[in-house]
Each structure stands twice: as C-alpha cells, then as structure tokens.
Amino acid sequence: MEKKILLGNITRYKFELKHLTVLFLILLLFQFSLSIIQKSSIQEFVDNSKEWFQKNSTENLANLTATSLELFIENINVQQDITPKAKRKIIDSFNILISQQLLLRSVEELYVVISKEDKSYIIDNGDQLYTYLKEDRIINYNYMYEESDVLKFYKSHIDKVQKSEIIYSEINDHNTFYTLVMLVPHGEFLGALVIKNKPDLGFITAEIITGYTQAAVIYSALIILGLMAMYYISSYTVRERDEAQSLLLVEHENHLKEQIEHEKESQFTKRIYHAHHKAEKIIGFMREDLRILAEQNIEEIKARINKYANFVSRVIYDMKSYDPPVHTYRGPLFSTNMNEVIVFLVDNLFRRISSNSEIFKFEMNFDDRLPPVQINEFIVWEVIEPIIQNSFDHRGDKDVTVSIKTEYIEEENISHIIISDNGTGIAKELLEPDENNVKKIFLENITTKKTSNKNSGYGCFIAYQITKYRCGWHLDVKNNEDSGCSFIITIKN
C-alpha cells in the first residue's frame, strides 16, 4: 500500500527536458567536485604518509649509526698504548662510520656533537673524535660550525633529549629533517649524533597521484558516458511524451472548439426562437394597426408601425450572427431616451394585450433629467421587455402592479431604472450567486415556470448578457420586503 502511495506521489510530477538537463548538469558538477575532493584527500594522505615515512626512516638511520658508533667505542680501549697502525685503523673506522651515511642521497650532513666545559663542538672526522677520546681535547676545530644549523639544533634540544632519553626529530619549511640521538658509550654521556636529512619521495608521490588521476579520469569518463546515455534515453522518452501530449492537446483543443461552436449554435438557435416569438407578437400588432388604419390616425399608426418594423428588422439582423459587430448596438451615432422607450413598450406592447388589461396595472415615475444612452433603441427593447414580461409570467393567480421608476444621481453621474412588481417574488435559491458571483436567475435555462419548455429560461439570461457584455451596464434583482421583486439596471453615464 505504501509503495503504491509513493509511486503515485512520484508520478504526479512531470519531468520536462529542461529538468533533465539541469539534473544532468548537477550530476556532472557533483562528479567533478567529488574528483577534486578525493584528489585533495589523496594528496593530503600521501603528504602525511610521506612525512611519517621520512621521519621514521631518518630516525632509524640515526639510531643505527649512533648504535654502531657506540659499539665501536665500547670495543676499543683508547687508554692503553696503541700502535700507529692500530691508531690509523681506529681513525679510518671512525671516518667510515661518519662518512658512510653521507653516501645516501637524502643525507646532507652527519656530525658528532660533543659538550665540553659548557661548550658544544662539532666533530666531522675520525682524527678529531679519536683525539678527543684519547686526549680529551679538540684539534683542528672548524669555527665556521659556530653558525651551523646543526649546532643550533643541538643546543636547543640536547637538554630535553637527555631528560627524556628519546630520539628527537624536527622538520623545517623546506622538508629537511634534523634528528638528534644521544651517544652514551659505557653508560656515560658523550654527546650526540645529529643528522641533517632531506628524504626525497617525490617520485613515489608522483606515481601515486598519477595512478589516482588515471583511475579518476577513467571512472569519471565512465560516469559521464553513463549519464549521457541516460540523458539521451530520457530526453528521447520525454520528447516522445511531449509530442504525444502536444497531439493530445491539439485534439482536445479541437474538441473544445467544436463543443464551444456547438454550444454557440445551440444558444444562437434558442435566442432566435426567443426573438422570433417576440417578432410574431409585433407582427400581429402591425396587422391589427393596418386593420384600424383611418385618415384621422394615419400619422400615429405610421409612426408605430415604423417602430414595429424597425424592431422586426433588428430581430432579423440578429439572426445573421451570434456576435454582431459592436457598432451595430452601441456608439456615438445612437442617442436613446430611456423614458420614451419604456413608455412605448408599455403602451404599444403590454397594454395592447386586451385579455390581460384587467389583471395588471402600470405605475410609472420618470426622471426627466435622465441622460440619453448611446445604445441602439431596439437593444434597449431586448433588455426592458423580458424583465417586464417576467412580472406577468410569474404573478401567480393574483393581479399584479408593475412599477417602473427612473432616476438620475447627478453627483455620481449614474442612472437607475427600477422595474418592480407586487407578485409572488423570486425563489431564494435563484437569488444565490454561483462561483462567478452571478445569480442563478440570470443563468441559461433557469426558469420558474411550472410548464416544462426546453426554450424557457432565456428572458432574464438574454437581458443579463446584453446589459453586461453589450451595454456595459449592471443588472441586479432582489425580492421586496412585502411582496414581489425588483430589477435594478445601473447605468454609468
């Protein structure tokens, strides 16, 4: 179960080619950084090992030489009479012991340093050592040794070495070792053997670093080749996935376009049906006017029929396009008096329905200061007519009074058109806003009619669409405190 959850969490994330490229570069950077760190660590390890080995080899050399010298001194008796031949043999042996180590490439200096009467002297040959052992005096002393590093080193550390009885080594900045070993033949302190040694292990270090570098290069090359192979395979896979997704998106886009076009056609068809119904009623009024045409009312009927004909012409024009050009419904060429349009609709549409003349009444209160709007007169018809018709369609069984009021707020330059009735009002659920903050009564196919009609629910929807998207007005509705409801159109002049 946990494995499925983990896989689900991973598959939620889609890796693009740029993500793989960044990941590839990061891995390469890590690999190079790791190689540099490992090389630095190896270099430090080799340096430490080299220092330890140099120190150990130098101390072993010094200890071996000092031991040989002590044994030789202990095996000869310098106090007895010695023939010149034996003396020369002893001096040569001392010279061999002192000079033999200088044959080593790393040994630079090797001296026997003795202390006599609070002074220290460097002995660099067998003749001086033999004379000192035999006669307790220094001969042929080279006073240039007074400034020698070896003598300074001896003076600095001899007391410490005497107390601890250990071999002491010290390295300077030039990787040169100074090693001091006490000489104690017959258990008596004679002095010390000091060796200045500079072991050269550079060739070993170079071989180790070279070997590591070769291994690191091969290892890095293999890693890089592996990463490049993975990157190529991954990029190829991602590219195929992107191509498939692109095709899927194109197909989905085409499907959405078809669906939108279908919905537009469906809405357009229902809108045409709605407008056709209104046009049929207007044409009926035109026929009636033609029947009652007489000499005394010819001008009145001519003006009314002209209005009717223009409205029918507008309906026919709207049937041509779902989204007509903006200049056909708003612009500076239009100057519509809202009060006159409302009066014409009330007198020549709603009051002409004789069968309903006794069950509904109109109360009109107009503000003469109301400025004209730059909207086509017949667009205003399509807004006002369905709102008034809504009051009749949802009045229930009671007589209804429709109140129409216009007002102009000069300080805010805002006009209000309020159409209210005393009917049954609107159900509360239809006044609730949706996720787009649009009340449900203004949505498509929303109706309160009891009869089931697939073309119902378009009056308020069309009025809201025209006011918001064509006229730039605001349409709202609310229930009155006593009864009925009020539609409020707000126009910012």
Side-chain angles (χ1 to χ4, degrees):
M1 184 65 182
E2 294 180 353
K3 184 177 180 181
K4 291 182 178 179
I5 295 175
L6 180 61
L7 291 175
N9 292 332
I10 294 176
T11 54
R12 285 189 304 172
Y13 301 99
K14 304 299 182 183
F15 286 92
E16 303 295 338
L17 187 58
K18 57 183 179 181
H19 301 147
L20 294 174
T21 303
V22 172
L23 182 60
F24 176 74
L25 294 177
I26 289 175
L27 289 175
L28 284 182
L29 179 62
F30 282 173
Q31 176 59 31
F32 287 131
S33 301
L34 181 61
S35 299
I36 293 173
I37 292 173
Q38 285 183 337
K39 185 175 182 180
S40 176
S41 300
I42 289 293
Q43 183 68 51
E44 184 179 358
F45 170 75
V46 169
D47 290 342
N48 293 335
S49 301
K50 181 177 70 173
E51 183 178 343
W52 174 86
F53 177 77
Q54 288 173 333
K55 181 179 179 181
N56 185 67
S57 61
T58 302
E59 290 180 354
N60 287 337
L61 175 63
N63 185 44
L64 180 61
T65 305
T67 302
S68 300
L69 191 57
E70 286 179 353
L71 291 175
F72 184 73
I73 293 173
E74 289 177 354
N75 289 329
I76 63 174
N77 187 0
V78 295
Q79 301 301 326
Q80 65 182 4
D81 293 334
I82 299 176
T83 63
K85 184 178 180 180
K87 177 182 176 181
R88 175 49 49 191
K89 186 176 181 180
I90 293 173
I91 292 174
D92 291 341
S93 298
F94 281 142
N95 286 331
I96 291 173
L97 286 175
I98 294 173
S99 62
Q100 187 178 21
Q101 310 305 327
L102 295 174
L103 298 176
L104 298 175
R105 181 168 28 180
S106 61
V107 178
E108 296 182 353
E109 299 179 26
L110 188 149
Y111 303 110
V112 174
V113 184
I114 62 174
S115 297
K116 180 178 177 59
E117 298 176 356
D118 297 331
K119 290 186 178 182
S120 300
Y121 302 94
I122 290 180
I123 296 176
D124 61 354
N125 59 74
D127 193 18
Q128 288 179 324
L129 180 58
Y130 177 84
T131 303
Y132 176 75
L133 294 175
K134 180 71 175 176
E135 303 174 8
D136 194 21
R137 63 189 180 91
I138 304 296
I139 63 171
N140 301 326
Y141 184 69
N142 188 356
Y143 286 96
M144 294 181 61
Y145 288 139
E146 294 295 329
E147 302 299 326
S148 173
D149 294 338
V150 173
L151 190 59
K152 292 178 182 179
F153 173 72
Y154 172 83
K155 291 178 179 180
S156 300
H157 303 288
I158 187 58
D159 293 337
K160 179 170 60 176
V161 172
Q162 279 186 283
K163 291 178 181 179
S164 59
E165 296 183 356
I166 61 173
I167 300 175
Y168 180 77
S169 296
E170 186 176 89
I171 185 172
N172 64 6
D173 296 336
H174 303 287
N175 292 325
T176 300
F177 282 87
Y178 292 89
T179 306
L180 189 151
V181 185
M182 288 194 306
L183 292 175
V184 193
H186 303 292
E188 296 180 1
F189 177 73
L190 174 64
L193 180 70
V194 181
I195 296 180
K196 183 180 178 182
N197 185 23
K198 192 173 183 179
D200 185 15
L201 300 178
F203 68 98
I204 298 179
T205 304
E207 288 295 328
I208 294 175
I209 296 300
T210 301
Y212 170 76
T213 303
Q214 292 177 351
V217 168
I218 295 174
Y219 176 76
S220 299
L222 292 175
I223 292 295
I224 292 173
L225 289 175
L227 290 175
M228 291 180 65
M230 293 172 58
Y231 176 76
Y232 176 78
I233 295 172
S234 301
S235 60
Y236 182 78
T237 304
V238 170
R239 187 164 57 249
E240 283 192 339
R241 188 203 67 187
D242 290 343
E243 291 176 356
Q245 286 184 344
S246 178
L247 294 175
L248 181 62
L249 288 174
V250 171
E251 183 179 354
H252 184 64
E253 182 181 359
N254 294 333
H255 177 71
L256 286 178
K257 287 181 179 179
E258 292 177 0
Q259 186 176 358
I260 291 172
E261 290 298 326
H262 177 73
E263 291 178 356
K264 284 183 178 180
E265 291 176 1
S266 176
Q267 292 178 3
F268 185 46
T269 302
K270 293 176 181 178
R271 238 182 61 195
I272 291 175
Y273 176 85
H274 189 83
H276 183 266
H277 176 70
K278 304 299 179 184
E280 281 184 335
K281 183 167 61 176
I282 297 300
I283 291 174
F285 292 153
M286 294 171 65
R287 289 173 179 173
E288 183 180 345
D289 284 341
L290 290 175
R291 284 197 300 268
I292 62 174
L293 182 64
E295 185 178 352
Q296 60 273 17
N297 62 4
I298 187 170
E299 293 298 329
E300 175 187 355
I301 291 179
K302 184 170 68 172
R304 190 163 61 224
I305 289 178
N306 184 56
K307 288 272 190 180
Y308 288 155
N310 287 334
F311 177 75
V312 173
S313 175
R314 180 69 196 189
V315 170
I316 294 173
Y317 178 81
D318 285 344
M319 293 180 182
K320 295 180 179 179
S321 173
Y322 174 80
D323 190 14
V326 65
H327 67 269
T328 61
Y329 53 83
R330 66 183 301 171
L333 296 178
F334 302 111
S335 182
T336 302
N337 188 313
M338 298 291 290
N339 294 336
E340 293 179 359
V341 173
I342 294 172
V343 170
F344 184 85
L345 288 174
V346 171
D347 291 342
N348 296 285
L349 261 71
F350 294 101
R351 283 180 174 168
R352 291 192 65 172
I353 305 175
S354 58
S355 60
N356 291 334
S357 60
E358 297 179 357
I359 61 175
F360 63 83
K361 297 179 181 179
F362 284 96
E363 295 180 357
M364 291 182 285
N365 182 12
F366 296 139
D367 188 345
D368 294 334
R369 300 176 303 158
L370 198 72
V373 294
Q374 294 181 336
I375 303 294
N376 189 306
E377 175 184 357
F378 303 102
I379 295 296
V380 177
W381 278 36
E382 294 184 61
V383 175
I384 302 297
E385 190 273 338
I387 294 177
I388 298 176
Q389 187 65 43
N390 185 78
S391 299
F392 301 149
D393 293 340
H394 307 292
R395 64 182 178 81
D397 297 329
K398 58 186 293 188
D399 297 344
V400 64
T401 299
V402 179
S403 300
I404 304 176
K405 178 183 177 182
T406 62
E407 61 179 7
Y408 175 64
I409 304 175
E410 187 173 0
E411 295 79 7
E412 301 178 7
N413 195 24
I414 292 178
S415 302
H416 290 297
I417 301 174
I418 304 171
I419 303 174
S420 59
D421 61 61
N422 61 347
T424 58
I426 299 174
K428 291 183 179 180
E429 59 270 15
L430 296 181
L431 298 179
E432 295 177 356
D434 64 356
E435 62 275 6
N436 297 320
N437 201 30
V438 179
K439 293 182 177 180
K440 292 182 179 179
I441 192 172
F442 296 130
L443 299 179
E444 185 182 5
N445 289 330
I446 300 297
T447 181
T448 56
K449 291 182 180 180
K450 295 182 179 179
T451 58
S452 176
N453 188 344
K454 65 179 180 179
N455 293 302
S456 299
Y458 272 86
C460 293
F461 168 72
I462 291 175
Y464 182 81
Q465 294 292 313
I466 292 175
T467 54
K468 182 175 181 180
Y469 298 107
R470 292 195 183 184
C471 301
W473 302 342
H474 179 70
L475 176 61
D476 194 13
V477 62
K478 63 180 180 179
N479 283 327
N480 301 327
E481 294 183 358
D482 47 1
S483 63
C485 65
S486 296
F487 286 85
I488 302 100
I489 301 173
T490 303
I491 303 171
K492 291 185 179 181
N493 299 300

